Amino acid sequence: MLAKVSGLQQILKRIDNSRLFQGFVIFVILVSALTIGAHTYHLPPWMEYSLSWLDLAITVFFAGELTIRYLASDGFKRFFTNGWNIFDTVIVIGSLVPAGGSAILLARLLRIFRVLRLVSMVPELRMLVNALLKAIPRMGYIALLMFVIFYIYGAVGSMLFADINTFLWGDVSVAMLTLFRVSTFESWTSIMYETMAVYPLSWLYYLSFIFLTAFVFLNMMVGAVLDVMTQETAKMRSEEQDDEQSTAATAEDVAELKAQLGELKQLLIEQRSMPPTEPGDMHEKIL
């Protein structure tokens, strides 16, 4: 019984690791994304009916694919220690919500997130998401420093320019919102020229702020993400090399084992082909 279970698990592992199967899963995810987009159009009833059946088939396929992956893993604990498996499980369970009645909007919203399964299926996308998540702590400190700069410039702008335009500089919170608009270069020159009519040197205020936010802090954000992405890329390549080395070592071990079995088989054949030895001859050989 245990041998049958182990054999079934090996078959499921080969299916799960098959490039053809993974490519088909990616194809189904893309089809799912297209069906979600199709539901946003006004379609004839027969097409809506067909899309409903197609959506049901996709949901069943995702449930089956997740079941195959679970059975191919080495147990419950090993399966759910992988964060991507937890993510896929939540997405699939969300897709199982019935799409009828008052829950149709909720069901469609949950089915939209099935497109995110593309991230868990493509290793390069997983690497990018992992790099982004690991870069969040560093980006958080940069964002905190940016908030301090925004607050200082917002307080100064509110003190200087509140009398010029109360709508843009009335208090520090509104001033910070105006500065965010300036940092995105959204019609910031009109804001600057308005204050320059009263304070001719106010352009120094805007240019220094843009230099800090748009050039310094933005590059710091990009640098933090690129640093983590470089580490994740190196880690992924190292894992791929380890897998290749382990696969090569396994192949060498199998080849060596086959060679030893062949030698043993040849030795047994030679022993069987030798004539039987008489007791007297054996005694003479011993003497």
Side-chain angles (χ1 to χ4, degrees), residues 36-94:
I36 292 170
H39 280 296
T40 62
Y41 293 92
H42 295 287
L43 302 174
W46 66 269
M47 189 172 291
E48 287 281 357
Y49 183 76
S50 301
L51 287 176
S52 298
W53 278 103
L54 179 61
D55 185 77
L56 178 61
I58 291 173
T59 302
V60 172
F61 174 79
F62 281 155
E65 184 266 335
L66 187 66
T67 303
I68 291 174
R69 198 191 309 174
Y70 174 76
L71 294 176
S73 64
D74 298 327
F76 179 87
K77 185 177 181 180
R78 183 69 178 271
F79 180 80
F80 285 103
T81 51
N82 189 334
W84 290 109
N85 289 335
I86 298 175
F87 174 79
D88 289 341
T89 302
V90 173
I91 295 297
V92 171
I93 292 175

Side-chain angles (χ1 to χ4, degrees), residues 100-120:
S102 60
I104 185 170
L105 179 60
L106 177 61
R108 288 184 177 179
L109 289 175
L110 291 174
R111 280 165 171 75
I112 292 174
F113 291 99
R114 292 193 305 200
V115 183
L116 291 175
R117 290 207 60 203
L118 192 64
V119 177
S120 64

Side-chain angles (χ1 to χ4, degrees), residues 85-266:
N85 289 335
I86 298 175
F87 174 79
D88 289 341
T89 302
V90 173
I91 295 297
V92 171
I93 292 175
S95 300
L96 296 176
V97 175
S102 60
I104 185 170
L105 179 60
L106 177 61
R108 288 184 177 179
L109 289 175
L110 291 174
R111 280 165 171 75
I112 292 174
F113 291 99
R114 292 193 305 200
V115 183
L116 291 175
R117 290 207 60 203
L118 192 64
V119 177
S120 64
M121 295 302 301
V122 181
E124 288 75 12
L125 293 180
R126 287 203 305 265
M127 184 269 294
L128 291 176
V129 173
N130 288 332
L132 181 61
L133 293 176
K134 291 183 179 180
I136 287 178
R138 301 186 187 182
M139 295 170 63
Y141 289 112
I142 299 173
L144 179 60
L145 184 57
M146 286 183 64
F147 175 80
V148 172
I149 298 299
F150 265 81
Y151 187 82
I152 293 173
Y153 273 81
V156 173
S158 180
M159 294 176 186
L160 294 177
F161 310 135
D163 295 334
I164 299 175
N165 191 330
T166 307
F167 181 75
L168 295 178
W169 306 100
D171 52 56
V172 65
S173 59
V174 174
M176 290 175 67
L177 185 61
T178 302
L179 288 173
F180 182 79
R181 174 183 170 184
V182 171
S183 66
T184 59
F185 301 105
E186 176 62 30
S187 302
W188 71 278
T189 53
S190 60
I191 301 174
M192 181 182 68
Y193 291 143
E194 184 182 29
T195 57
M196 283 181 63
V198 180
Y199 299 100
L201 294 178
S202 62
W203 60 271
L204 292 172
Y205 171 85
Y206 295 98
L207 292 185
S208 61
F209 176 76
I210 290 174
F211 176 79
L212 287 174
T213 56
F215 297 109
V216 176
F217 291 118
L218 180 60
N219 288 328
M220 290 174 66
M221 287 280 190
V222 174
V225 175
L226 288 178
D227 184 31
V228 177
M229 192 177 298
T230 302
Q231 297 176 7
E232 287 296 311
T233 304
K235 180 180 178 181
M236 185 176 69
R237 290 178 179 175
S238 176
E239 291 177 353
E240 290 177 354
Q241 290 178 357
D242 292 340
D243 292 339
E244 292 176 358
Q245 291 176 359
S246 62
T247 303
T250 303
E252 291 177 359
D253 293 340
V254 171
E256 184 179 356
L257 182 60
K258 287 182 178 180
Q260 292 177 356
L261 289 175
E263 293 176 358
L264 182 59
K265 183 178 179 181
Q266 185 66 27

